[in-house]
Amino acid sequence: MYGIPSYFTYPTSDYPRYISSFYYYEPYPLWPRDYPPVNTKILSHSITAYPKLLHDASLVLNKLGNAQIAQQLMANAQNGNQKEVDHIVRSFGLESVVATRYTPSSVQFTINPHAEGKPCCTLTMSLQWGE
């Protein structure tokens, strides 16, 4: 009764039938990969643009340090007034483009340099303002 497989309520394991290999998949490719030559032009452009983003982030933090501005921003965000929130952030006098997103517990500022074409870098700040 107990040795007959038809009485098992669960499928039996087929694990012993398979040969166990330490590397089932190759740990690394066996052929040499062709990578493009290293070009640091884009990286150096990002590095030169990033201090401006840090400066604008510092301006945002300094402005939000003012309790009246922080209260206005939070009240408009709580009411779902995205246009007014964007207006308040634009009034900070930033040179970069700032996208603001908020939830009941935090606000997120994504700062991009004001440039045409592909953005070279992005600075994102998340600040808690609720529980």
Side-chain angles (χ1 to χ4, degrees), residues 52-53 56-58 60 94 96-99 109-113 121-125:
K52 186 173 26 169
L53 299 181
D56 287 345
S58 176
V60 169
L94 306 175
S96 303
V97 178
V98 180
F109 300 100
T110 304
I111 305 172
N112 292 310
C121 45
T122 300
L123 175 66
T124 302
M125 293 190 311

Side-chain angles (χ1 to χ4, degrees), residues 72-85 102:
Q72 285 179 345
L73 185 77
M74 290 177 71
N76 284 304
Q78 186 175 9
N79 291 332
N81 193 350
Q82 181 70 43
K83 287 184 179 181
E84 188 60 31
V85 169
Y102 45 85

Side-chain angles (χ1 to χ4, degrees), residues 55-119:
H55 176 70
D56 287 345
S58 176
L59 284 175
V60 169
L61 294 175
N62 288 336
K63 292 290 186 174
L64 290 177
N66 182 342
Q68 184 180 5
I69 294 174
Q71 195 276 335
Q72 285 179 345
L73 185 77
M74 290 177 71
N76 284 304
Q78 186 175 9
N79 291 332
N81 193 350
Q82 181 70 43
K83 287 184 179 181
E84 188 60 31
V85 169
D86 291 340
H87 176 71
I88 292 170
V89 173
R90 277 194 306 272
S91 72
F92 294 166
L94 306 175
E95 296 177 17
S96 303
V97 178
V98 180
T100 308
R101 292 181 11 190
Y102 45 85
T103 64
S105 62
S106 67
V107 62
Q108 184 179 40
F109 300 100
T110 304
I111 305 172
N112 292 310
H114 187 67
E116 297 164 5
K118 286 185 176 179

